[in-house]
Amino acid sequence: MPPIPASDITLGILAGGRASRLGGIDKAWLQRDGVAQVERWRRRFATETTDALISANRGHERFERIGLRAVADRHDGDLGPLAGLDALAAACDTPWLLTLPVDLVGVNDCLVPSLSAAASPHGAYAVDDDGPQPLVALWPAAPLREAAARAIAANDLAIHSLQLHLRMVAVRLDGVRFGNLNTPQDLAAAGAVPGETDSPA
């Protein structure tokens, strides 16, 4: 399959988690080198995608002030990241949706080309040195919409099950470790601090 052009890809940032291990702060606004996580990822993929969405269940006005379209979960209950994928897929206007969690520490330079080269019609997800990273993925948007709806109806919340159903390809990225900002220790190691207006939920 030829490379997927940027005009066919929407960036979907997943920021709907509760951050319970960090006192409920909004990870989207964690600052590293003075740049909020959400802004860091928008800038990083600005030339490889045509649009950007953020899955978030609070603070939509703040995202909109920086020109990001925020989408809330469409279903009640604790559905985990599947709810965010469902919301992003519903709002995506391009054939492809590139997703990543807002709390990643870093990604490799060739992430999009690597996923794009392997995506075929079914999509692809990354496997770094820590193992499968199912939320770092390039999804075919229309099939994802249908598959997410079926998974929610069946209460099958596992992302790997969704990707198995879609026949997505695992892409091994040797020597790459994305990392996550999950604990105070993670924040300290990455030099991340809460944004000025963050407060516990």
Side-chain angles (χ1 to χ4, degrees):
M1 185 171 124
I4 299 170
S7 58
D8 282 352
I9 305 175
T10 293
L11 173 63
I13 304 171
L14 291 153
R18 297 192 180 105
S20 56
R21 284 179 284 179
L22 293 173
I25 64 173
D26 192 337
K27 289 185 182 181
W29 301 103
L30 286 171
Q31 302 271 328
R32 294 162 57 209
D33 299 321
V35 180
Q37 283 290 109
V38 65
E39 185 63 31
R40 177 179 300 276
W41 298 128
R42 179 170 68 168
R43 293 178 188 178
R44 165 65 181 80
F45 293 102
T47 62
E48 296 180 287
T49 60
T50 190
D51 193 12
L53 303 168
I54 183 156
S55 162
N57 294 311
R58 54 179 167 167
H60 283 201
E61 298 82 3
R62 193 175 183 191
F63 295 117
E64 289 164 3
R65 282 199 296 271
I66 64 168
L68 265 178
R69 183 157 53 115
V71 293
D73 293 353
R74 304 190 306 158
H75 298 271
D76 296 329
D78 187 7
L79 301 179
L82 180 58
L85 291 175
D86 169 76
L88 290 170
C92 180
D93 294 324
T94 57
W96 293 90
L97 175 68
L98 172 70
T99 62
L100 69 156
V102 77
D103 64 353
L104 289 189
V105 175
V107 298
N108 54 318
D109 290 341
C110 61
L111 177 64
V112 172
S114 297
L115 294 178
S116 174
S120 185
H122 304 296
Y125 64 92
V127 180
D128 72 357
D129 284 352
D130 290 322
Q133 302 291 337
L135 296 178
V136 182
L138 186 60
W139 309 78
L144 173 58
R145 282 191 283 272
E146 297 176 4
R150 283 195 298 267
I152 290 170
N155 199 37
D156 183 0
L157 308 184
I159 303 305
H160 68 82
S161 176
L162 180 70
Q163 293 178 325
L164 184 64
H165 175 82
L166 289 169
R167 294 187 289 164
M168 293 176 72
V169 177
V171 177
R172 183 73 173 91
L173 303 171
D174 291 320
V176 174
R177 177 169 286 132
F178 299 138
N180 292 95
L181 300 173
N182 284 327
T183 68
Q185 292 76 19
D186 294 336
L187 267 59
V193 297
E196 290 182 3
T197 61
D198 279 334
S199 60

